[in-house]
Amino acid sequence: ANRIYCNPKGGVDWRGFSIQYLFFRQALEKLDIEPQIFYAGKFKSATEPFRAEQMTEPNRVQSSVFLNDIYNRFLVQVAAARNTDTATLHRCANDLLIQSADDAIKYKLVDAAEYDDVVKAEIKRLTGTDSSEKINFVPAAKYAKSVNYKDDRGSDKIALIYAQGDMVDGKGEKGEIGGDTYRWLIRKASMDKDIKAIVVRVNSGGGSAMASENIWRELAVTKKKKPVIISFGDYAASGGYYMSCGADSIFSQPSTLTGSIGVFSIVFNMKKFFGDKLGLTFDGVKTAAHADMATSVNPMNEAEKRFMQSGVDSTYQTFLARVSEGRRIRTALVDSIAQGRVWTGLRAINLGLVDKLGGLQDAVNCAAGMAKLKEYRIKEYPEPMGWWEKLFGGYKNTAKLQAAKEEMGEQGFQLYTSMKKLQQLAAGRQARLPFDMNLDF
């Protein structure tokens, strides 16, 4: 910004970045719940919360590398904008030097310490607004509506598909990437003759390997008809990368978390928990020796464990093949940079996992260029909801989640959401980031 103000009695939180992982192993042992874990990739840390009590060394290495990549870029950008140096900024965080507004001014993080009325008087002066008049502030939502990627001219269109959230089988819910839903969205855009190119904005840590495969397939078929461009948001990893790897071109931001090419599956053996803790027992009949395999009420034998691991390994090899084909990289090389490892976009471009650094607008411009369009309209998918759907469609879930958050508090609600995701982990082979990875800025 041109100017940054801080309340005279306020301050600037300047402590650096951190990541916290939540580990369930001891809790599961106390509950007599055995996580039967199968994974491919030594960096595939999504299973760590169930098989370890702290970070493994490979995960510590990859987490340190990508977090420091993000932090270093942050320091460089701030130093350039605030006319200071990265060493000073890092020392401010390391030695907790920013405790007050005066400290923030001293180290050039803000320009001045002023109250709200003084700042508004300055805005009036800059905009030529009379001191007795009210400032015509524009809400962010209204401002966003006025921004177009391109003037809406001509009949040709570029489809802009937003794929955000966990990848799940079936239709999925709001905030999820349902394999069936997105397969049909892509097909709908593919069959529309007025749509000349497709841009997919991916913001996902992955999820269901089957959903990833199905969306990858639909994009591969569509790519034969019209250009397919991918734009990565905050993160596009595991299944999010799987579905994207075959596109004509992939754009990423320098700090985007991407890669995590790996697979895992977890089956919880809860026989002792049900029996010893709850007094519940199970019995039944079956037509074949392994008909009840991978249920939570019986432990798997060695043959069944080998079967599960074989399935995970097979999915991992398919994942490697998809990346090798889409990125034109030898499979052995893909395997060396895969293993479930998470990379920043800046490193991913040097590894060949993405093509260019840039944002969504850059991806749209690329799509227009590949389709040889000078004038076009943007067609967004999923199509924006009407006011009635917005009012009543999401009200129930929003109210329920808000009530739960207020009742349990921030930490309790975080644990609640983590436990909810345990259900997804037992839903077949997964290609996803560590499911409870919070970057704390």
Side-chain angles (χ1 to χ4, degrees):
N2 295 102
R3 297 278 290 173
I4 300 178
Y5 296 97
C6 179
N7 187 292
K9 297 303 177 183
V12 175
D13 187 351
W14 193 268
R15 295 172 295 143
F17 298 169
S18 68
I19 296 176
Q20 290 290 329
Y21 294 90
L22 179 64
F23 293 86
F24 293 93
R25 180 176 173 177
Q26 289 188 22
L28 294 176
E29 287 178 352
K30 290 181 178 181
L31 294 171
D32 281 334
I33 297 175
E34 176 197 6
Q36 300 167 111
I37 298 169
F38 313 92
Y39 65 99
K42 65 181 180 180
F43 291 97
K44 198 63 183 174
S45 55
T47 61
E48 276 189 13
F50 311 104
R51 57 182 168 89
E53 296 175 11
Q54 60 185 20
M55 298 169 70
T56 62
E57 191 56 29
N59 189 27
R60 191 173 299 278
V61 168
Q62 75 164 345
S63 298
S64 296
V65 169
F66 72 65
L67 188 63
N68 277 287
D69 279 353
I70 296 171
Y71 182 54
N72 291 337
R73 178 172 172 77
F74 170 73
L75 293 180
V76 169
Q77 299 284 64
V78 172
R82 301 302 303 167
N83 193 29
T84 183
D85 59 88
T86 58
T88 299
L89 293 174
H90 181 55
R91 184 165 62 88
C92 286
N94 226 32
D95 298 341
L96 294 176
L97 298 180
I98 311 299
Q99 291 191 322
S100 67
D102 289 336
D103 294 331
I105 296 171
K106 176 182 177 181
Y107 290 101
K108 300 183 178 181
L109 296 180
V110 302
D111 295 294
E114 302 287 0
Y115 287 104
D116 177 74
D117 59 294
V118 177
V119 176
K120 286 182 177 177
E122 174 70 2
I123 292 174
K124 287 184 177 181
R125 186 187 67 79
L126 291 171
T127 58
T129 303
D130 187 88
S131 59
S132 62
E133 295 180 13
K134 186 177 180 180
I135 301 172
N136 183 28
F137 286 113
V138 179
K142 185 176 181 180
Y143 180 79
K145 288 180 180 179
S146 70
V147 178
N148 291 317
Y149 294 108
K150 185 77 175 179
D151 292 336
D152 285 341
R153 295 178 294 175
S155 59
D156 292 335
K157 300 175 185 176
I158 293 177
L160 178 52
I161 302 175
Y162 294 96
Q164 179 164 316
D166 288 338
M167 304 185 70
V168 299
D169 294 323
K171 293 183 177 180
E173 298 179 358
K174 183 181 179 182
E176 294 180 331
I177 305 173
D180 289 347
T181 297
Y182 277 80
R183 182 163 54 87
W184 282 108
L185 283 178
I186 295 164
R187 186 170 299 180
K188 182 178 181 180
S190 174
M191 296 174 66
D192 189 331
K193 294 181 180 179
D194 291 333
I195 292 176
K196 306 302 181 182
I198 295 175
V199 175
V200 184
R201 175 68 165 183
V202 180
N203 205 35
S204 173
S208 164
M210 181 57 70
S212 306
E213 168 73 9
N214 287 338
I215 296 174
W216 168 86
R217 169 62 181 175
E218 201 63 43
L219 287 174
V221 172
T222 300
K223 179 182 160 183
K224 298 176 181 178
K225 302 177 183 178
K226 54 192 69 174
V228 174
I229 311 299
I230 302 290
S231 169
F232 287 163
D234 293 336
Y235 54 112
S238 227
Y241 187 79
Y242 190 133
M243 62 170 278
S244 309
C245 64
D248 289 300
S249 190
I250 300 176
F251 285 78
S252 174
Q253 296 285 10
S255 298
T256 297
L257 297 183
T258 190
S260 190
I261 300 167
V263 184
F264 73 90
S265 183
I266 300 178
V267 178
F268 292 97
N269 171 23
M270 302 178 68
K271 185 175 183 178
K272 286 187 176 181
F273 170 75
F274 286 130
D276 298 345
K277 306 296 183 184
L278 302 181
L280 299 175
T281 57
F282 296 83
D283 199 3
V285 295
K286 54 187 177 182
T287 61
H290 306 291
D292 58 350
M293 184 182 75
T295 60
S296 61
V297 297
N298 286 309
M300 287 186 284
N301 58 39
E302 291 304 313
E304 292 169 341
K305 289 180 179 180
R306 287 194 299 271
F307 180 88
M308 292 292 292
Q309 185 62 53
S310 176
V312 166
D313 292 340
S314 175
T315 302
Y316 178 62
Q317 291 301 318
T318 301
F319 198 164
L320 294 180
R322 299 290 182 245
V323 176
S324 176
E325 177 187 356
R327 303 303 305 162
R328 296 180 177 87
I329 306 174
R330 289 183 296 106
T331 304
L333 180 56
V334 175
D335 188 33
S336 70
I337 60 177
Q339 296 291 322
R341 182 157 184 174
V342 180
W343 305 94
T344 58
L346 200 58
R347 291 181 184 263
I349 194 169
N350 294 326
L351 296 170
L353 294 176
V354 302
D355 295 294
K356 299 175 184 176
L357 294 178
L360 181 55
Q361 183 63 60
D362 297 303
V364 171
N365 292 343
C366 176
M370 292 189 68
K372 300 179 180 179
L373 301 178
K374 293 184 178 180
E375 297 181 349
Y376 57 87
R377 298 172 181 266
I378 294 292
K379 176 67 173 177
E380 293 183 332
Y381 297 93
E383 295 182 32
M385 292 187 296
W387 68 270
W388 182 268
E389 292 174 294
K390 288 181 179 179
L391 182 62
F392 292 100
Y395 173 77
K396 183 177 180 181
N397 286 336
T398 301
K400 182 172 68 174
L401 290 175
Q402 186 60 36
K405 193 170 186 178
E406 291 177 0
E407 183 70 23
M408 293 183 284
E410 193 67 39
Q411 294 297 323
F413 185 74
Q414 181 180 335
L415 181 60
Y416 164 76
T417 55
S418 297
M419 296 303 292
K420 286 281 288 183
K421 289 195 174 185
L422 290 179
Q423 298 174 328
Q424 295 178 355
L425 296 182
R429 296 167 206 157
Q430 301 286 304
R432 67 165 71 232
L433 279 172
F435 73 91
D436 189 32
M437 185 181 68
N438 298 320
L439 281 90
D440 187 7
F441 296 87

